[in-house]
Amino acid sequence: MDIDSLPDNPYLLLTPGPLSTTKSVKAAMLRDWCTWDDDYKQLVQEVRTTLTRLATDRTDLYTTVLMQGSGTFCVESTIGTALPAGGKLLVLPNGAYGDRMVQIARTLKIDCAANDSGEVDPPDLEKLEATLKMDDAITHVAVVHSETTTGMLNPIEAIGRIVKKYGKVYIVDAMSSFGGIPIDVAGIDIDFIVSSANKCIQGVPGFGFVIAKKDALLKCRGQARSLSLDLYDQWKTMEEDKGKWRYTSPTHVVRAFCQALAELDAEGGIARRAERYRANHRTLVDGMRKLGFRTLLADAFQGPFITSFYSPEDKRYAFKTFYDKLKARGFVIYPGKVSRASAFRIGTIGDVHPADMERLLGAVEASLFWKG
Ligand SMILES: *Cc1c(COP(=O)(O)O)cnc(C)c1O
């Protein structure tokens, strides 16, 4: 197939998932795959093995489960399966995705506490320790790694040390970071780490994955509060039927994901991809500051995946106009999601490179219609 002849994207997606993917990833979807045939199941097993290997050298201790749906389905599947009856979840929210974990627990009628540190501050480690010391009922602790609401990168290693000191099960939503920054899952002793196809691995949306410590997952039999989101049962079927999903699997999306994993490897693996994302982020922030923009977060808390900028203070600024002008110039950005300030967000992940960031900066400058 002549991949270059595939249509170009009308614009670059600077949104943190779905994001811009390569033509070769999209081209991988142009074939139909039987969901229970051995060829396809073999592919699924390769995806699972590769993801486990990306997460840790201790592949003997961990296993990967794939789950249909968007990232939230996988977070819900993990919380709903990992918490036993009578268990209690402590969430450390500092944005919408942390809040969503609390919402999931409440919807599933799981006892849940939240140590909310607000949108521009990382979790309070002293408070975490005090909470765990005080409340024996807590069995599990959950945190978002890259809080996509702001771009905050939470200190999952330091949090993990405290969680493990008190012997709790550790759940990390690494949706918008896994594959884009090295994470030593076994070293940090994470029990369940969750991500999805359409973030830093640069696949298309349709499923997510949970990399689980085997001994933690094995304790979850019969605990799920949902049939289709039963993480344990999904794992058992994939394991015993060697790559079979319980219900219709997103075959085309999985095929595209295989290609995305091959492209991650060709790029030089996670460490090299992380360098590219950091270069994208540096180019963006340096250039935006030159144009007079301010970042919402202090640099020390900022991750390389998505960055929030305060809206310009000029009264003539309106996000929609700014957005439309940038879109016409080939870039789609993200509205702000914080409640306390007017801001917009720009993602730096996907098939996006520093040269694209340079072009974006030119487009931003040309779209500041109220200036000059
Ligand atoms: C993208 C994302 C999710 C999942 O969102 P979906 O819309 O369900 O894919 C969850 N947590 C974080 C931090 C995310 O960035």
Side-chain angles (χ1 to χ4, degrees):
M1 185 185 4
D2 179 10
I3 286 176
D4 289 332
S5 70
L6 292 173
D8 288 318
N9 283 327
Y11 39 69
L12 210 56
L13 283 174
L14 300 179
T15 53
L19 35 65
S20 296
T21 58
T22 60
K23 284 188 178 181
S24 34
V25 162
K26 288 184 278 278
M29 291 186 285
L30 294 174
R31 288 173 65 188
D32 301 312
W33 294 74
C34 177
T35 185
W36 49 260
D37 180 79
D38 283 344
D39 293 344
Y40 176 71
K41 281 163 56 180
Q42 180 62 34
L43 224 67
V44 172
Q45 292 299 72
E46 280 167 28
V47 165
R48 294 179 61 212
T49 309
T50 305
L51 286 172
T52 309
R53 211 164 0 89
L54 287 176
T56 181
D57 295 335
R58 296 300 311 271
T59 51
D60 52 324
L61 300 180
Y62 283 84
T63 184
T64 297
V65 196
L66 313 180
M67 182 62 82
Q68 295 94 330
S70 82
T72 304
F73 291 60
C74 296
V75 177
E76 182 154 352
S77 167
T78 302
I79 290 175
T81 305
L83 271 287
K88 180 170 181 181
L89 179 67
L90 172 66
V91 183
L92 311 175
N94 52 359
Y97 293 97
D99 290 344
R100 192 176 292 175
M101 295 205 281
V102 175
Q103 199 186 355
I104 287 170
R106 300 223 162 114
T107 304
L108 298 177
K109 311 245 183 311
I110 291 168
D111 193 9
C112 178
N115 282 5
D116 194 326
S117 53
E119 285 166 334
V120 296
D121 285 304
D124 182 335
L125 299 182
E126 281 172 26
K127 188 172 173 195
L128 167 63
E129 176 135 23
T131 306
L132 293 179
K133 204 177 269 178
M134 188 188 68
D135 189 349
D136 287 341
I138 294 165
T139 50
H140 293 59
V141 178
V143 70
V144 175
H145 185 206
S146 166
E147 181 42 91
T148 314
T149 310
T150 54
M152 170 101 60
L153 196 62
N154 283 318
I156 52 171
E157 202 162 344
I159 294 167
R161 276 194 291 273
I162 300 170
V163 171
K164 290 298 159 171
K165 181 175 161 191
Y166 290 87
K168 311 301 180 190
V169 177
Y170 192 22
I171 299 171
V172 175
D173 168 352
M175 207 69 66
S176 65
S177 56
F178 187 84
I181 193 169
I183 304 173
D184 179 5
V185 174
I188 303 174
D189 203 7
I190 298 170
D191 294 281
F192 299 90
I193 185 163
V194 188
S195 187
S196 78
N198 59 283
K199 305 256 172 149
C200 295
I201 307 283
Q202 298 181 189
V204 303
F207 75 95
F209 51 91
V210 182
I211 300 157
K213 203 194 285 169
K214 281 182 198 161
D215 68 5
L217 183 62
L218 283 168
K219 290 179 189 148
C220 298
R221 181 161 167 249
Q223 289 183 174
R225 291 149 180 88
S226 156
L227 173 68
S228 55
L229 295 178
D230 186 334
L231 191 69
Y232 177 89
D233 252 21
Q234 182 88 338
W235 169 77
K236 198 162 159 53
T237 301
M238 277 190 178
E239 200 67 12
E240 288 177 356
D241 280 347
K242 298 185 170 39
K244 187 177 177 299
W245 302 50
R246 285 178 308 159
Y247 311 122
T248 299
S249 76
T251 45
H252 300 70
V253 177
V254 170
R255 191 68 193 79
F257 191 74
C258 263
Q259 176 63 25
L261 283 172
E263 291 178 16
L264 172 61
D265 190 48
E267 186 172 349
I270 290 176
R272 297 307 291 272
R273 178 156 297 177
E275 277 172 30
R276 173 164 63 86
Y277 287 169
R278 273 200 303 273
N280 287 345
H281 171 73
R282 276 272 50 95
T283 307
L284 173 71
V285 171
D286 291 350
M288 290 294 278
R289 284 184 174 149
K290 281 198 189 109
L291 292 173
F293 288 93
R294 290 185 304 127
T295 56
L296 178 78
L297 296 181
D299 286 356
F301 303 149
Q302 175 69 56
F305 309 107
I306 182 167
T307 309
S308 300
F309 296 95
Y310 283 109
S311 305
E313 269 155 29
D314 193 288
K315 276 201 280 296
R316 285 161 292 176
Y317 169 83
F319 175 75
K320 184 72 172 80
T321 317
F322 186 50
Y323 173 92
D324 286 340
K325 284 180 182 267
L326 283 177
K327 184 174 160 190
R329 291 184 166 95
F331 302 94
V332 161
I333 64 165
Y334 230 34
K337 204 170 182 165
V338 285
S339 44
R340 62 181 281 281
S342 172
F344 61 88
R345 294 175 292 168
I346 300 180
T348 34
I349 60 178
D351 183 28
V352 176
H353 304 262
D356 297 312
M357 292 294 123
E358 298 284 5
R359 288 193 302 115
L360 167 72
L361 290 164
V364 167
E365 187 166 23
S367 302
L368 298 178
F369 53 91
W370 60 90
K371 286 201 169 174

